[in-house]
Amino acid sequence: MRQVAPPTGVVGATDLAPTTPVSPIRASPIELVHNMSDTPAETSVRDPFAKPLPLRHPSYWITAVVVGILLVMAVYVLATNQSAKWDVFARYLFSPQIMEGLWVTIQLSVISQILALAIGCILALLGESKNPTLRLFVRAYVGFFRGLPLLVLLLLIFNAALFIPTLGFGSWSWNTNDIITGFSAAIIGLSLHEGAFMTEVIRAGFLSVPKGQREAAQSIGMKPGMTMRTIVLPQAIRIIIPPTGNQFIGLLKASSLVAVIGGGDLLTRAQQIYGSNFQVIPLLFVVSFWYLVLVTLATVGQHFLEKKFSQEGGPRKAVRATQKAVA
Amino acid sequence: MMAETSSPLVTVRNVVKSYGDVQVLKDISLDVAEREVLCLIGPSGSGKSTLLRCINYLERMDGGYIKVADEFAGAVVKGGVLHEASAAQLADYRQQVGMVFQHFNLFLHLTALENVTIGLRKVRGMGKREAADRGRAALASVGLEHLEGSYPRNLSGGQQQRVAIARALAMEPKVILFDEPTSALDPELVGEVLAVMRRLAEGGMTMIVVTHEMRFARDVASRVAFMDQGVIAEMGAARDVIDTPQSERTKTFLSRVG
């Protein structure tokens, strides 16, 4: 089999043309085809070795038109619908009651996420312990609070007074009903529930650090706790961040469940309003609008965090950078 | 078995270890004197690495004992009886036994210098400046002082392994264990790591090296132990074992390795 040498360029090819009649060196991709029938191609103005012409995608245009039509239809339906009542939507969008509810939703989500993070860290660390009782406790906790539907858990905690009338002992006891309000029950329920998921997220982060890293740490005389703090945790953080962001977005939305116990959140307030004026759809649109805003903000924040923690210099530098940014 | 007059630095006695039904170490005994270099050779699965990991107590043994200087691996003497060591006692024991891994296992989130100094800072409680000085000296001894700020992912395999050697050295261990230190390296990078190890040996460091580098074993080791199927089939002066093996199994292995 004779090797066809790659052409060196168009200039070289034309230079060689008169002296070498059918040399493979002067063959361009187009000529290689045309030479089969002994008719040299002369019509090609374009450099035969230039970047290939782009492939056309007519299907992209068809899709865009179809989706565009559907979008216009949806907007039309929403704008002209009798029960949408956009004037009511506009009236309540920034009303004080809705703003209060929005603020409660933010508080519930942020406080519960922070508590859940603490629960997750502690339980994930306990889960690494050699003590079998501690490991069993962690597994039971995760099994229980991940297994129980959040709605059921919230109702149980809100009604705790029915089966635990007082908390504490001796002179240090309080009436359960004084402690459990809609808000506090919401915080407790959301934190316990989210804590179970965060335990799993953090445990997965620990597992992602290769075994050799721990062995190396042990081999220079580090104790287990120190190995965890200085070697495993800093490397696990970048694995833990993205799912934590997802968890937070999930929590933000799940916090609307506290409406059933009068948690005072966005949905609770909207329900209170449409309970008296019957403008159900406009108020649910208001609620939807604010949840979408919150989730979008959270997504931007998550993107920012992920970028910070994956940057050059490794997660530790990023931890320092975030610490500076927070301070 | 031993000809040394002074008491050995590392004593391995009747060590037995099984993974499930498979016995990987069958009654292993050997001694390593101070300043000696012992190379463990043999086919894969013969128990060389397991023995090495037992010495650092990264693996528990099922029977027998290992002693480095006066301390037992994974155990302490209390009332004349061996008791299982606590995590803190184990950490103390490991400080005198350095380890270099096949896959380097450098701390990926730390620079070369920080990899070398983290043990000094966290385990020894040394000040930042003093640790950095000693870390730089350790890096210089493996010829990498100019790369102290680099992260492991920006270093070649050979450079990573040299940093790993510096990390072990910085803790000033009594013995360093090398677990196939060049097996994961591209062929052209093997030389630089072996050169560092050779210099260490010449400097009088006590070393136990699991290796497939027969020339290194022949030239650098004081003694070579050939392991096969969980036993030491042959052990003796490096050149004797490699040039004129006595056991059939050693002969077969060496002829295959070339």
PDB file of all heavy atoms in Angstrom, chain A residues 186-208:
ATOM      1  N   ALA A 186     -41.695  24.769  63.572  1.00  0.00           N
ATOM      2  CA  ALA A 186     -41.198  24.730  62.197  1.00  0.00           C
ATOM      3  C   ALA A 186     -39.682  24.601  62.177  1.00  0.00           C
ATOM      4  O   ALA A 186     -39.118  23.769  61.456  1.00  0.00           O
ATOM      5  CB  ALA A 186     -41.628  25.988  61.450  1.00  0.00           C
ATOM      6  N   ILE A 187     -39.011  25.424  62.999  1.00  0.00           N
ATOM      7  CA  ILE A 187     -37.542  25.381  63.050  1.00  0.00           C
ATOM      8  C   ILE A 187     -37.072  23.993  63.488  1.00  0.00           C
ATOM      9  O   ILE A 187     -36.179  23.398  62.874  1.00  0.00           O
ATOM     10  CB  ILE A 187     -36.996  26.438  64.043  1.00  0.00           C
ATOM     11  CG1 ILE A 187     -37.236  27.847  63.520  1.00  0.00           C
ATOM     12  CG2 ILE A 187     -35.526  26.204  64.332  1.00  0.00           C
ATOM     13  CD1 ILE A 187     -36.197  28.359  62.558  1.00  0.00           C
ATOM     14  N   ILE A 188     -37.693  23.466  64.559  1.00  0.00           N
ATOM     15  CA  ILE A 188     -37.265  22.163  65.072  1.00  0.00           C
ATOM     16  C   ILE A 188     -37.483  21.085  64.023  1.00  0.00           C
ATOM     17  O   ILE A 188     -36.585  20.295  63.718  1.00  0.00           O
ATOM     18  CB  ILE A 188     -38.040  21.822  66.375  1.00  0.00           C
ATOM     19  CG1 ILE A 188     -37.669  22.818  67.471  1.00  0.00           C
ATOM     20  CG2 ILE A 188     -37.721  20.398  66.828  1.00  0.00           C
ATOM     21  CD1 ILE A 188     -38.558  22.722  68.702  1.00  0.00           C
ATOM     22  N   GLY A 189     -38.688  21.065  63.429  1.00  0.00           N
ATOM     23  CA  GLY A 189     -38.999  20.028  62.449  1.00  0.00           C
ATOM     24  C   GLY A 189     -38.094  20.086  61.238  1.00  0.00           C
ATOM     25  O   GLY A 189     -37.525  19.079  60.813  1.00  0.00           O
ATOM     26  N   LEU A 190     -37.941  21.300  60.679  1.00  0.00           N
ATOM     27  CA  LEU A 190     -37.109  21.444  59.482  1.00  0.00           C
ATOM     28  C   LEU A 190     -35.658  21.072  59.771  1.00  0.00           C
ATOM     29  O   LEU A 190     -35.008  20.398  58.978  1.00  0.00           O
ATOM     30  CB  LEU A 190     -37.188  22.878  58.939  1.00  0.00           C
ATOM     31  CG  LEU A 190     -38.526  23.317  58.325  1.00  0.00           C
ATOM     32  CD1 LEU A 190     -38.516  24.815  58.027  1.00  0.00           C
ATOM     33  CD2 LEU A 190     -38.826  22.535  57.053  1.00  0.00           C
ATOM     34  N   SER A 191     -35.132  21.487  60.930  1.00  0.00           N
ATOM     35  CA  SER A 191     -33.734  21.204  61.261  1.00  0.00           C
ATOM     36  C   SER A 191     -33.498  19.709  61.447  1.00  0.00           C
ATOM     37  O   SER A 191     -32.516  19.161  60.938  1.00  0.00           O
ATOM     38  CB  SER A 191     -33.319  21.919  62.548  1.00  0.00           C
ATOM     39  OG  SER A 191     -33.610  23.275  62.458  1.00  0.00           O
ATOM     40  N   LEU A 192     -34.388  19.052  62.192  1.00  0.00           N
ATOM     41  CA  LEU A 192     -34.210  17.619  62.436  1.00  0.00           C
ATOM     42  C   LEU A 192     -34.267  16.840  61.122  1.00  0.00           C
ATOM     43  O   LEU A 192     -33.453  15.955  60.871  1.00  0.00           O
ATOM     44  CB  LEU A 192     -35.290  17.102  63.390  1.00  0.00           C
ATOM     45  CG  LEU A 192     -35.180  17.568  64.844  1.00  0.00           C
ATOM     46  CD1 LEU A 192     -36.364  17.071  65.657  1.00  0.00           C
ATOM     47  CD2 LEU A 192     -33.870  17.100  65.475  1.00  0.00           C
ATOM     48  N   HIS A 193     -35.235  17.214  60.286  1.00  0.00           N
ATOM     49  CA  HIS A 193     -35.417  16.545  58.998  1.00  0.00           C
ATOM     50  C   HIS A 193     -34.209  16.785  58.094  1.00  0.00           C
ATOM     51  O   HIS A 193     -33.583  15.866  57.578  1.00  0.00           O
ATOM     52  CB  HIS A 193     -36.700  17.080  58.350  1.00  0.00           C
ATOM     53  CG  HIS A 193     -36.960  16.562  56.981  1.00  0.00           C
ATOM     54  ND1 HIS A 193     -37.584  15.354  56.757  1.00  0.00           N
ATOM     55  CD2 HIS A 193     -36.675  17.073  55.760  1.00  0.00           C
ATOM     56  CE1 HIS A 193     -37.673  15.156  55.456  1.00  0.00           C
ATOM     57  NE2 HIS A 193     -37.129  16.186  54.824  1.00  0.00           N
ATOM     58  N   GLU A 194     -33.868  18.061  57.938  1.00  0.00           N
ATOM     59  CA  GLU A 194     -32.754  18.427  57.060  1.00  0.00           C
ATOM     60  C   GLU A 194     -31.427  17.895  57.611  1.00  0.00           C
ATOM     61  O   GLU A 194     -30.530  17.536  56.849  1.00  0.00           O
ATOM     62  CB  GLU A 194     -32.708  19.958  56.927  1.00  0.00           C
ATOM     63  CG  GLU A 194     -31.648  20.503  56.015  1.00  0.00           C
ATOM     64  CD  GLU A 194     -31.967  20.291  54.553  1.00  0.00           C
ATOM     65  OE1 GLU A 194     -33.039  19.714  54.256  1.00  0.00           O
ATOM     66  OE2 GLU A 194     -31.150  20.687  53.720  1.00  0.00           O
ATOM     67  N   GLY A 195     -31.328  17.830  58.956  1.00  0.00           N
ATOM     68  CA  GLY A 195     -30.106  17.320  59.579  1.00  0.00           C
ATOM     69  C   GLY A 195     -29.796  15.901  59.145  1.00  0.00           C
ATOM     70  O   GLY A 195     -28.631  15.535  58.957  1.00  0.00           O
ATOM     71  N   ALA A 196     -30.838  15.087  58.978  1.00  0.00           N
ATOM     72  CA  ALA A 196     -30.626  13.704  58.555  1.00  0.00           C
ATOM     73  C   ALA A 196     -30.014  13.669  57.155  1.00  0.00           C
ATOM     74  O   ALA A 196     -29.082  12.899  56.884  1.00  0.00           O
ATOM     75  CB  ALA A 196     -31.950  12.945  58.563  1.00  0.00           C
ATOM     76  N   PHE A 197     -30.534  14.542  56.270  1.00  0.00           N
ATOM     77  CA  PHE A 197     -29.992  14.570  54.909  1.00  0.00           C
ATOM     78  C   PHE A 197     -28.573  15.126  54.890  1.00  0.00           C
ATOM     79  O   PHE A 197     -27.706  14.634  54.161  1.00  0.00           O
ATOM     80  CB  PHE A 197     -30.910  15.392  53.994  1.00  0.00           C
ATOM     81  CG  PHE A 197     -32.178  14.657  53.649  1.00  0.00           C
ATOM     82  CD1 PHE A 197     -33.320  14.820  54.408  1.00  0.00           C
ATOM     83  CD2 PHE A 197     -32.209  13.775  52.582  1.00  0.00           C
ATOM     84  CE1 PHE A 197     -34.481  14.129  54.101  1.00  0.00           C
ATOM     85  CE2 PHE A 197     -33.364  13.086  52.261  1.00  0.00           C
ATOM     86  CZ  PHE A 197     -34.509  13.250  53.036  1.00  0.00           C
ATOM     87  N   MET A 198     -28.329  16.154  55.708  1.00  0.00           N
ATOM     88  CA  MET A 198     -26.983  16.741  55.748  1.00  0.00           C
ATOM     89  C   MET A 198     -25.964  15.737  56.289  1.00  0.00           C
ATOM     90  O   MET A 198     -24.811  15.729  55.881  1.00  0.00           O
ATOM     91  CB  MET A 198     -26.981  18.034  56.583  1.00  0.00           C
ATOM     92  CG  MET A 198     -27.608  19.225  55.900  1.00  0.00           C
ATOM     93  SD  MET A 198     -27.003  19.492  54.219  1.00  0.00           S
ATOM     94  CE  MET A 198     -25.278  19.818  54.522  1.00  0.00           C
ATOM     95  N   THR A 199     -26.397  14.894  57.230  1.00  0.00           N
ATOM     96  CA  THR A 199     -25.496  13.851  57.736  1.00  0.00           C
ATOM     97  C   THR A 199     -25.023  12.973  56.577  1.00  0.00           C
ATOM     98  O   THR A 199     -23.827  12.671  56.456  1.00  0.00           O
ATOM     99  CB  THR A 199     -26.224  12.980  58.776  1.00  0.00           C
ATOM    100  OG1 THR A 199     -26.721  13.823  59.811  1.00  0.00           O
ATOM    101  CG2 THR A 199     -25.289  11.942  59.381  1.00  0.00           C
ATOM    102  N   GLU A 200     -25.969  12.610  55.716  1.00  0.00           N
ATOM    103  CA  GLU A 200     -25.609  11.756  54.586  1.00  0.00           C
ATOM    104  C   GLU A 200     -24.716  12.492  53.585  1.00  0.00           C
ATOM    105  O   GLU A 200     -23.775  11.917  53.045  1.00  0.00           O
ATOM    106  CB  GLU A 200     -26.894  11.271  53.885  1.00  0.00           C
ATOM    107  CG  GLU A 200     -27.676  10.273  54.707  1.00  0.00           C
ATOM    108  CD  GLU A 200     -26.909   8.969  54.901  1.00  0.00           C
ATOM    109  OE1 GLU A 200     -26.913   8.121  53.991  1.00  0.00           O
ATOM    110  OE2 GLU A 200     -26.288   8.823  55.967  1.00  0.00           O
ATOM    111  N   VAL A 201     -25.019  13.772  53.358  1.00  0.00           N
ATOM    112  CA  VAL A 201     -24.209  14.555  52.423  1.00  0.00           C
ATOM    113  C   VAL A 201     -22.766  14.649  52.925  1.00  0.00           C
ATOM    114  O   VAL A 201     -21.809  14.452  52.165  1.00  0.00           O
ATOM    115  CB  VAL A 201     -24.816  15.978  52.252  1.00  0.00           C
ATOM    116  CG1 VAL A 201     -23.824  16.919  51.600  1.00  0.00           C
ATOM    117  CG2 VAL A 201     -26.096  15.904  51.441  1.00  0.00           C
ATOM    118  N   ILE A 202     -22.607  14.931  54.222  1.00  0.00           N
ATOM    119  CA  ILE A 202     -21.260  15.102  54.774  1.00  0.00           C
ATOM    120  C   ILE A 202     -20.528  13.767  54.828  1.00  0.00           C
ATOM    121  O   ILE A 202     -19.336  13.681  54.535  1.00  0.00           O
ATOM    122  CB  ILE A 202     -21.346  15.791  56.151  1.00  0.00           C
ATOM    123  CG1 ILE A 202     -21.862  17.215  55.954  1.00  0.00           C
ATOM    124  CG2 ILE A 202     -20.000  15.800  56.853  1.00  0.00           C
ATOM    125  CD1 ILE A 202     -22.212  17.928  57.218  1.00  0.00           C
ATOM    126  N   ARG A 203     -21.270  12.705  55.159  1.00  0.00           N
ATOM    127  CA  ARG A 203     -20.660  11.375  55.173  1.00  0.00           C
ATOM    128  C   ARG A 203     -20.133  11.014  53.772  1.00  0.00           C
ATOM    129  O   ARG A 203     -19.031  10.492  53.616  1.00  0.00           O
ATOM    130  CB  ARG A 203     -21.693  10.331  55.621  1.00  0.00           C
ATOM    131  CG  ARG A 203     -21.131   8.995  55.983  1.00  0.00           C
ATOM    132  CD  ARG A 203     -22.235   8.075  56.453  1.00  0.00           C
ATOM    133  NE  ARG A 203     -23.132   7.724  55.366  1.00  0.00           N
ATOM    134  CZ  ARG A 203     -22.999   6.639  54.617  1.00  0.00           C
ATOM    135  NH1 ARG A 203     -22.025   5.796  54.859  1.00  0.00           N
ATOM    136  NH2 ARG A 203     -23.826   6.388  53.642  1.00  0.00           N
ATOM    137  N   ALA A 204     -20.926  11.355  52.747  1.00  0.00           N
ATOM    138  CA  ALA A 204     -20.482  11.085  51.374  1.00  0.00           C
ATOM    139  C   ALA A 204     -19.218  11.887  51.066  1.00  0.00           C
ATOM    140  O   ALA A 204     -18.318  11.398  50.381  1.00  0.00           O
ATOM    141  CB  ALA A 204     -21.589  11.432  50.384  1.00  0.00           C
ATOM    142  N   GLY A 205     -19.148  13.111  51.607  1.00  0.00           N
ATOM    143  CA  GLY A 205     -17.948  13.922  51.420  1.00  0.00           C
ATOM    144  C   GLY A 205     -16.724  13.251  52.033  1.00  0.00           C
ATOM    145  O   GLY A 205     -15.661  13.182  51.422  1.00  0.00           O
ATOM    146  N   PHE A 206     -16.887  12.722  53.247  1.00  0.00           N
ATOM    147  CA  PHE A 206     -15.777  12.012  53.901  1.00  0.00           C
ATOM    148  C   PHE A 206     -15.343  10.815  53.064  1.00  0.00           C
ATOM    149  O   PHE A 206     -14.159  10.556  52.888  1.00  0.00           O
ATOM    150  CB  PHE A 206     -16.197  11.513  55.285  1.00  0.00           C
ATOM    151  CG  PHE A 206     -16.387  12.615  56.295  1.00  0.00           C
ATOM    152  CD1 PHE A 206     -17.045  12.369  57.497  1.00  0.00           C
ATOM    153  CD2 PHE A 206     -15.907  13.893  56.052  1.00  0.00           C
ATOM    154  CE1 PHE A 206     -17.216  13.384  58.428  1.00  0.00           C
ATOM    155  CE2 PHE A 206     -16.084  14.912  56.967  1.00  0.00           C
ATOM    156  CZ  PHE A 206     -16.747  14.650  58.160  1.00  0.00           C
ATOM    157  N   LEU A 207     -16.339  10.080  52.551  1.00  0.00           N
ATOM    158  CA  LEU A 207     -16.030   8.872  51.779  1.00  0.00           C
ATOM    159  C   LEU A 207     -15.275   9.196  50.495  1.00  0.00           C
ATOM    160  O   LEU A 207     -14.550   8.355  49.970  1.00  0.00           O
ATOM    161  CB  LEU A 207     -17.321   8.125  51.423  1.00  0.00           C
ATOM    162  CG  LEU A 207     -17.985   7.354  52.555  1.00  0.00           C
ATOM    163  CD1 LEU A 207     -19.285   6.723  52.081  1.00  0.00           C
ATOM    164  CD2 LEU A 207     -17.054   6.269  53.079  1.00  0.00           C
ATOM    165  N   SER A 208     -15.484  10.435  49.990  1.00  0.00           N
ATOM    166  CA  SER A 208     -14.863  10.778  48.716  1.00  0.00           C
ATOM    167  C   SER A 208     -13.359  11.002  48.855  1.00  0.00           C
ATOM    168  O   SER A 208     -12.647  11.033  47.868  1.00  0.00           O
ATOM    169  CB  SER A 208     -15.508  12.042  48.150  1.00  0.00           C
ATOM    170  OG  SER A 208     -15.055  13.164  48.885  1.00  0.00           O
TER     171      SER A 208
END
